[in-house]
Amino acid sequence: MELCTTTIDKHGRVVIPAEHRRALGLQAGDVVVLTLGDKELQLISQHEAFRRVQEMVRKHVGDNRSLVDELIAERHAEAARE
């Protein structure tokens, strides 16, 4: 783990050092996700947050099942009943 220091300005903004932004693949305007834990703030890219959620869902659903396809099929069946 690489440590560095930065400063919070009067508007609450924090500058993320360039080498950290590069390591995370972050660019100006990117959305990040902040998690507040036990007196600790974690920052991850939105892309990484989505990847982690997909991984969690995959553990419960499996690789060979498409929830999107199931939802579309349910919507088509519902529309046919109307």
Side-chain angles (χ1 to χ4, degrees):
M1 176 182 357
E2 184 179 328
L3 296 176
C4 73
T5 61
T6 188
T7 304
I8 300 172
D9 73 11
K10 66 181 181 180
H11 302 289
R13 295 177 293 210
V14 176
V15 174
I16 302 169
E19 60 271 12
H20 287 70
R21 292 192 312 270
R22 278 193 297 275
L24 293 172
L26 296 174
Q27 298 180 8
D30 284 354
V31 176
V32 294
V33 177
L34 300 175
T35 305
L36 183 58
D38 185 27
K39 296 186 179 186
E40 179 179 88
L41 182 66
Q42 181 183 35
L43 177 145
I44 60 174
S45 69
Q46 186 178 46
H47 176 77
E48 176 62 16
F50 286 146
R51 189 197 66 73
R52 290 181 186 185
V53 168
Q54 288 172 332
E55 186 177 294
M56 285 188 289
V57 170
R58 195 174 297 117
K59 286 180 185 178
H60 298 285
V61 174
D63 289 329
N64 298 326
R65 184 173 169 197
S66 171
L67 295 178
V68 172
D69 290 342
E70 289 180 24
L71 177 62
I72 291 170
E74 285 178 20
R75 294 294 167 95
H76 284 143
E78 191 176 301
R81 286 191 296 271
E82 289 181 359

